[in-house]
Amino acid sequence: MTLDELGALRRGRSLRNAAFLGLCALVATLSVVILFVLLGSIVYQGWHTLSWSFLTGTPSRKAEKAGVGPPLWGSIWVCVTAAVITLPLGIGAATFLEEFKPRRLGPRLLHGFVELNIRNLAGVPSIVYGMIALTAFAQMFGFFGSGSPIALGTEDDWYHVRLPFGRSVLTGALTLTLVVLPIVIIASMEALRAVPGSLREGALATGATRWQVVRRISLPAAMPGIMTGAILAMSRAIGEAAPILAVAGVLYMRFRPRSLMDDFTVLPLQIFNWAGRPQEEFHAIAAGGILVLLCVLFALNGVAILLRQMFQRPLQ
Amino acid sequence: MDGVTRLMAQATEANDRPGRARSVRARTLREAVIYVALAGCALFSVAVTFAIIFVLFKESIGFFSARPDPEHPGVEQRITVWEFLTGTEWTPLLGADHQYGVLPLMSGTLLVAGVAALIAIPFGLVTGIFLSEYARPRVRATLKPTLEILAGIPTVVYGFFALTVVTPSLRAMGMWFTGSAPGAWLGRATGWYEEPIPVFEVYNAAGAGIAVGIMCLPIVCSLSEDAIRATPRALREGAYAVGGTKFDVSVKVVVPSALSGIMAAFLLAIARAVGETMAVSLAAGGLANLTANPAEPVQTMTAWIVQIFLGDASNFGPEYRSAYAVAATLFLMTLALTIIGNRILKRYREVYQ
């Protein structure tokens, strides 16, 4: 092979290298462009509908009078309740799987099965969770018959609870718990795994029990990671429409919920309802609703980033 | 760490206190109670799995069992699993002759997921390679949050985007192409159209698929980036040492060595696209249509479930129960994809750790 041929080969290869870099940069920029087009089109279609009366008003037959008040409150109620249920359950499960690893073969296999099961649950379509929740929580497998439900308090009391739960806020929250629980567990497990083992061993060496190690050492050290995962899971929950559609249906709500047993609808479902109509003016208020939803989401994500930065400190 | 020091102090204190024997017993008991409570949290997820299987299959058995024919008293009708899985017509709510063949719904689902994969897989993979091999920290610092935002946008927003931006753009492109000289020639040659037409219908599989593809892009990107990053440095350095360019190293050495991780990323993203609900029920249309043409409206399996729960059918009729049979099929499809994907990921992690 002559020097000239070698040079040509090399030029060809460096050309290919440059071309690939160009392609990569182009494709990577594309995702930024898509995001701008997506947000831009929604702002363009929806910003003129935004007003105080839109935020507080009730959904209406007339697009110009409609507002997102009850669905927005429904979203807040359902998501806060879901967070209260999901966080202890998810962090508990993650702690069990990461910090209480058994040594014997039998329990270890069981452990592996539970972990695999959680990873696979994360891939189940959310609407399937909605269908399960309808049977398990709203109807409670028909266990209580079709007569009058067992109830605590009356419908006007804030502590009103009845069995079965029916199409209530609590059912919605439990549904979202099913959807985001795998996400919370996986994120918490990863946060716990990132805590250096030397910290645990140091604590065990001073005579601490396993639970003391978890409560005083592992959980505080993993907290920023856990909270970040939890907030990301909550932002997934607040945007979910499909499972709520299965348990609650599309309702026309004039009032915001006052207790865990009240009927409700959520913002994404209201957006779905408006976006599915053929009239242009409903598309505009759907875009307005999306803007409200995105504001809530970005606020949540902002809190997640702040938490990550505030609590991030070196562990060694 | 201050936590450790505090524990040491407490341990000394506990040793000095009288009645230590009782406190040890109390402590053992407390540990056991906490262990059981935490195990309960973990087993909850197993209970959820069993609940899914129980509910879906119980209702599906109800769907497949015999019931009296409303039009001919005394005669029983039933839908067999074989008819359900191989039937090519899905018309539970149309006409007098209700057909329950799931293939149109399945083909609609696969068509949308296919379009989504065509968008998400190449673009996600290239972005992943760019992020792990090429991007400087500053570029990374803008690209990563962009992808995170794209991943966090609710699916109903993607449906709205498909309906109001993607499909109108596709239709405008169709008008433009069929109006241009080569397009007009093609139309005359095939006898398909004479005037410029938008090609894509108002509800179509392509628009929904593109939106779902954008939604899945961050998943492909972050999972394949993780896989690419996990390849050992020695491989890269060896390739550079024999004179490889960056292109040679990343495309011919790093990507093949990360291939199983990348495949897992593809599978998990496709599972997500198959289970996607709100975007497809907004933008893909509501017509169960056995077609491979992405310009036509299709109905996916998830969109059928949505239609039932929106209240188009009476509770407990076969139409209603068909939603559970469809959901069971969907569950088995996505479960197979995620199990294979997670298995590949796990084996892959073991190889490189």
Side-chain angles (χ1 to χ4, degrees):
Chain A
M1 201 179 274
T2 65
L3 267 180
D4 277 355
E5 279 172 1
L6 266 181
L9 211 62
R10 199 173 145 214
R11 267 197 300 283
R13 282 179 32 190
S14 68
L15 199 69
R16 216 173 329 147
N17 187 33
F20 186 69
L21 175 60
L23 176 76
C24 275
L26 195 75
V27 169
T29 326
L30 199 67
S31 64
V32 183
V33 172
I34 289 173
L35 182 65
F36 270 100
V37 171
L38 178 71
L39 295 181
S41 71
I42 287 162
V43 171
Y44 174 77
Q45 291 179 70
W47 70 273
H48 63 89
T49 62
L50 289 184
S51 65
W52 185 247
S53 61
F54 182 70
L55 263 184
T56 55
T58 56
S60 155
R61 244 176 252 281
K62 293 197 180 100
E64 66 271 22
K65 281 188 186 163
V68 293
L72 182 60
W73 277 105
S75 277
I76 294 171
W77 266 85
V78 170
C79 281
V80 170
T81 318
V84 169
I85 301 168
T86 311
L87 291 187
L89 212 52
I91 297 174
T95 312
F96 179 76
L97 290 175
E98 272 303 310
E99 302 282 328
F100 292 83
K101 285 200 169 132
R103 287 198 203 94
R104 274 180 303 146
L105 184 68
R108 218 168 59 205
L109 283 179
L110 192 71
H111 232 73
F113 169 72
V114 173
E115 195 179 328
L116 184 74
N117 180 49
I118 288 167
R119 289 196 184 277
N120 290 331
L121 278 182
V124 174
S126 59
I127 187 142
V128 171
Y129 284 120
M131 299 168 82
I132 304 314
L134 180 67
T135 311
F137 303 129
Q139 301 159 354
M140 296 208 158
F141 302 104
F143 194 69
F144 294 93
S146 53
S148 59
I150 302 161
L152 171 74
T154 66
E155 277 180 26
D156 296 324
D157 297 322
W158 62 267
Y159 57 83
H160 175 56
V161 175
R162 62 165 192 270
L163 291 174
F165 294 146
R167 304 187 153 198
S168 63
V169 169
L170 187 58
T171 305
L174 287 166
T175 312
L176 291 184
T177 295
L178 297 186
V179 176
V180 298
L181 191 62
I183 306 175
V184 173
I185 296 177
I186 291 170
S188 309
M189 278 172 69
E190 265 154 27
L192 284 170
R193 206 173 296 158
V195 176
S198 56
L199 287 182
R200 286 189 198 101
E201 279 150 25
L204 284 172
T206 64
T209 60
R210 268 181 152 180
W211 170 244
Q212 284 172 330
V213 174
V214 168
R215 208 177 68 114
R216 304 280 170 82
I217 308 289
S218 307
L219 277 184
M223 222 9 120
I226 293 176
M227 286 330 281
T228 312
I231 290 177
L232 291 182
M234 280 305 118
S235 55
R236 165 96 190 267
I238 209 166
E240 276 293 352
I244 302 288
L245 173 79
V247 291
V250 170
L251 291 179
Y252 166 70
M253 293 297 302
R254 288 184 54 77
F255 302 104
R256 64 191 196 203
R258 287 157 304 159
S259 78
L260 286 178
M261 289 298 126
D262 268 354
D263 288 349
F264 71 105
T265 190
V266 292
L267 194 47
L269 212 49
Q270 188 64 52
I271 294 166
F272 174 73
N273 184 5
W274 283 335
R277 296 185 192 193
Q279 301 95 328
E280 280 295 316
E281 58 268 28
F282 278 104
H283 283 184
I285 55 172
I290 290 174
L291 283 177
V292 175
L293 181 63
L294 289 182
C295 285
V296 177
L297 274 177
F298 290 157
L300 270 177
N301 279 292
V303 172
I305 292 167
L306 268 183
L307 270 179
R308 198 159 27 173
Q309 280 172 352
M310 258 165 62
F311 291 102
Q312 216 156 47
R313 37 174 200 191
L315 282 172
Q316 273 166 332
Chain B
M1 282 308 297
D2 48 342
V4 178
T5 0
R6 217 178 317 128
L7 272 176
M8 275 174 87
Q10 275 174 2
T12 343
E13 199 182 302
N15 274 333
D16 297 342
R17 254 200 328 249
R20 181 167 162 253
R22 215 192 81 213
S23 88
V24 167
R25 216 174 303 138
R27 200 169 68 178
T28 321
L29 185 69
R30 196 184 61 191
E31 290 285 313
V33 168
I34 285 166
Y35 182 82
V36 170
L38 293 179
C41 291
L43 289 178
F44 179 74
S45 73
V46 181
V48 172
T49 312
F50 281 112
I52 292 177
I53 294 169
F54 173 74
V55 171
L56 288 186
F57 287 87
K58 182 177 155 264
E59 296 286 337
S60 298
I61 288 168
F63 173 69
F64 288 119
S65 55
R67 62 182 151 268
D69 190 333
E71 306 199 348
H72 309 280
V75 186
E76 283 196 331
Q77 60 174 188
R78 69 181 297 178
I79 302 143
T80 62
V81 179
W82 181 249
E83 278 168 12
F84 176 73
L85 287 177
T86 57
T88 55
E89 270 184 72
W90 183 265
T91 54
L93 300 174
L94 291 174
D97 185 27
H98 296 173
Q99 295 289 324
Y100 294 91
V102 83
L103 282 183
L105 296 185
M106 235 183 224
S107 79
T109 305
L110 294 180
L111 188 61
V112 171
V115 174
L118 278 182
I119 301 284
I121 287 178
F123 289 84
L125 179 58
V126 170
T127 314
I129 296 174
F130 179 72
L131 273 174
S132 79
E133 301 292 309
Y134 287 91
R136 278 167 297 175
R138 258 186 57 199
V139 178
R140 220 185 124 74
T142 53
L143 207 52
K144 264 299 213 195
T146 305
L147 290 165
E148 275 167 16
I149 294 174
L150 275 180
I153 287 177
T155 65
V156 66
V157 179
Y158 281 106
F160 184 76
F161 181 65
L163 204 59
T164 59
V165 178
V166 180
T167 294
S169 312
L170 286 174
R171 284 168 65 85
M173 268 152 61
M175 281 300 259
W176 172 80
F177 177 74
T178 49
S180 69
W185 177 82
L186 192 72
R188 274 196 305 278
T190 56
W192 182 16
Y193 51 84
E194 309 228 325
E195 300 281 298
I197 54 164
V199 184
F200 290 91
E201 296 187 37
V202 176
Y203 297 102
N204 62 70
I210 291 172
V212 175
I214 297 171
M215 201 179 80
C216 294
L217 191 149
I219 306 173
V220 177
C221 178
S222 75
L223 284 177
S224 53
E225 192 204 341
D226 288 346
I228 292 169
R229 264 174 195 280
T231 52
R233 261 182 77 164
L235 272 180
R236 286 199 184 87
E237 279 165 10
Y240 280 125
V242 296
T245 62
K246 203 148 203 180
F247 170 76
D248 296 327
V249 174
S250 47
V251 174
K252 294 181 191 161
V253 176
V254 174
V255 168
S257 80
L259 201 62
S260 54
I262 293 171
M263 290 309 293
F266 292 172
L267 288 180
L268 294 180
I270 291 172
R272 182 86 191 271
V274 165
E276 168 28 58
T277 306
M278 287 336 243
V280 290
S281 31
L282 270 178
L287 193 68
N289 186 358
L290 186 64
T291 178
N293 180 1
E296 286 181 23
V298 295
Q299 187 165 41
T300 64
M301 301 164 87
T302 49
W304 170 255
I305 301 172
V306 166
Q307 193 181 343
I308 290 302
F309 281 100
L310 277 174
D312 277 12
S314 70
N315 276 19
F316 311 117
E319 305 89 356
Y320 181 79
R321 286 217 165 119
S322 76
Y324 284 88
V326 169
T329 320
L330 178 72
F331 173 70
L332 290 179
M333 279 167 73
T334 53
L335 190 69
L337 284 170
T338 31
I339 285 179
I340 298 169
N342 279 330
R343 176 155 280 223
I344 296 174
L345 267 187
K346 192 166 178 237
R347 196 174 296 170
Y348 177 76
R349 280 198 203 107
E350 279 160 6
V351 169
Y352 283 127
Q353 267 172 9

